[in-house]
Amino acid sequence: MRRRFEARQAEIRAHATEVRERARAELPEKLRTDTHRTLTNVTTVVRRGFDRPAAEVWALLPDALLGADEMPTFVVPGTAVDDIGEVRCLVRRRGDGALVGSLHELLAIVPGHTRVTREVRQLPLVTTTTVEPTSDTSCEVAVWLTFPSIRKEAEEMRARMAIVPRVQLDELTDRLAGLPPVATRRTQHDESDLRSAEVHVRDTLPATPADVWAVVRPAENARLDQADPDAVTFTVPGTPAGEVGEKICLVARWRPPIREAAILEVIAQESGTSFAVRSLSAPHLLAQAVVLKAVPGGTEMTVTVHLHEHEPVIEREAATRRAAALAYLDRVREAVALSRGTAGA
């Protein structure tokens, strides 16, 4: 029995090594090799033993290692689930109270043993997690981080980044003990010069309020409010779709080429005529209301944006929001026309 166990573990380790090497080979050439003039790849690893069966520990991944606090991680619709290509969204609360989302792509997986993920950002952070059984009731978890660094700072960055897997394994230890996630510590910010502004834009669309509502209200169409044509929006799992309290996740390129996630919450709604959302990812108040009104020739759509911002930038931010709201109206007009054309085909 012992020999069969050891042979099986050797087979799993060999497979996991192959998976890690394949994932590494898929990294961009300038980050994978050591030929870039200023960058080099750096790897740090931390291991920890647990007196729990490997299957029990594996079942807590990836939420525990990613440190999901207020809500569990969730898979972005349209991507694989528990397979290569899965993109998982992690939402954390920053010190200023804003909810911000990061995206983690699954590069390789050996079920029950190895996960290789890449945080989708400008300089990718690749994490390899292995759960190695040491007996029927215990296991060892290892977390490797691989990331690009300036050559002359490589050793300093290796030491600095080693804290990340340690914190992740601390979180895993707490989860196994049944402890709740540690809440993010709020930081104090000077808000004495915050000012408010309100922006109104409107347009008349050649369609009924019901037709316009069907275009603007579904969470999947919240992407129309984004400049990124490849934006993806959807209801956060576990929140009431189409109702007050619904949370909408927006995955878009806010700072090209980086894809990040933001969270909106539906705070008011009169079905068929109006709804309002607020951004949970903005450090200050940022809310938007849409009102539909039947008028001769179609539907008058009014978009109102409420924002708080620091006095030196309030006028610039208000102008930016006005331009964004006008662009939103244009995209809605196109979507309504397409919807009516499709419906009549």
Side-chain angles (χ1 to χ4, degrees):
M1 177 69 73
R2 181 66 182 176
R3 289 181 179 177
R4 286 201 300 270
F5 176 80
E6 292 176 349
R8 177 56 180 159
Q9 293 314 304
E11 180 183 338
I12 291 175
R13 282 193 294 272
H15 188 190
T17 299
E18 179 185 345
V19 165
R20 286 199 302 272
E21 292 303 316
R22 188 168 65 245
R24 182 176 181 273
E26 291 174 356
L27 290 176
E29 181 71 15
K30 70 175 182 178
L31 299 180
R32 179 170 57 84
T33 67
D34 197 24
T35 59
H36 193 278
R37 185 170 61 86
T38 60
L39 292 181
T40 185
N41 262 358
V42 179
T43 298
T44 184
V45 58
V46 176
R47 295 179 173 85
R48 187 174 300 178
F50 293 92
D51 293 325
R52 297 292 182 89
E56 182 179 340
V57 174
W58 178 265
L60 292 178
L61 306 182
D63 281 347
L65 285 186
L66 290 176
D69 46 18
E70 292 193 20
M71 61 181 74
T73 65
F74 46 87
V75 176
V76 175
T79 69
V81 178
D82 290 330
D83 202 353
I84 295 172
E86 172 191 272
V87 177
R88 188 170 289 271
C89 182
L90 166 68
V91 179
R92 292 189 181 97
R93 188 172 293 280
R94 286 192 320 221
D96 61 8
L99 288 177
V100 293
S102 57
L103 303 176
H104 302 259
E105 180 184 4
L106 186 60
L107 299 180
I109 184 170
V110 179
H113 187 274
T114 303
R115 289 179 63 92
V116 182
T117 62
R118 174 172 56 199
E119 184 175 349
V120 183
R121 57 183 186 175
Q122 192 165 16
L123 294 178
L125 176 66
V126 176
T127 302
T128 300
T129 306
T130 61
V131 182
E132 185 76 43
T134 51
S135 74
D136 290 341
T137 58
S138 64
C139 64
E140 180 186 76
V141 178
V143 180
W144 283 266
L145 293 187
T146 302
F147 52 93
S149 171
I150 297 175
R151 289 176 185 275
K152 64 181 181 181
E153 299 177 357
E155 289 308 312
E156 179 184 348
M157 287 299 298
R158 190 196 312 276
R160 185 183 305 171
M161 290 295 287
I163 193 174
V164 175
R166 291 195 191 103
V167 169
Q168 291 175 330
L169 289 175
D170 287 344
E171 176 69 19
L172 179 58
T173 300
D174 289 347
R175 293 293 180 94
L176 286 168
L179 300 176
V182 177
T184 302
R185 180 179 298 178
R186 296 291 297 273
T187 55
Q188 296 296 321
H189 297 274
D190 181 10
E191 299 186 345
S192 60
D193 67 340
L194 282 182
R195 299 292 180 265
S196 62
E198 192 169 278
V199 172
H200 302 272
V201 298
R202 61 174 51 89
D203 193 8
T204 299
L205 308 177
T208 66
D211 288 339
V212 178
W213 180 264
V215 167
V216 299
R217 179 56 186 91
E220 294 76 13
N221 283 349
R223 61 183 180 80
L224 295 173
D225 202 19
Q226 307 304 308
D228 179 9
D230 298 320
V232 176
T233 53
F234 54 93
T235 300
V236 173
T239 67
E243 301 176 15
V244 173
E246 176 183 27
K247 289 184 174 63
I248 300 173
C249 181
L250 301 89
V251 178
R253 288 178 176 83
W254 310 94
R255 296 172 296 162
I258 305 172
R259 295 183 80 214
E260 295 176 316
I263 303 294
L264 300 177
E265 181 182 24
V266 179
I267 56 176
Q269 179 169 288
E270 290 292 335
S271 186
T273 59
S274 67
F275 69 97
V277 299
R278 65 168 178 169
S279 173
L280 300 181
S281 298
H284 316 301
L285 173 67
L286 178 59
Q288 179 169 290
V290 174
V291 178
L292 305 180
K293 178 183 177 182
V295 296
T299 299
E300 182 182 77
M301 176 174 166
T302 302
V303 179
T304 302
V305 181
H306 304 266
L307 68 149
H308 287 173
E309 194 46 88
H310 294 286
E311 186 170 26
V313 298
I314 185 66
E315 291 186 6
R316 182 187 67 198
E317 286 299 311
T320 298
R321 296 297 171 184
R322 177 180 296 278
L326 289 170
Y328 173 46
L329 282 175
D330 288 341
R331 287 190 286 270
V332 169
R333 174 181 285 277
E334 293 177 4
V336 168
L338 180 61
S339 173
R340 288 168 59 82
T342 301

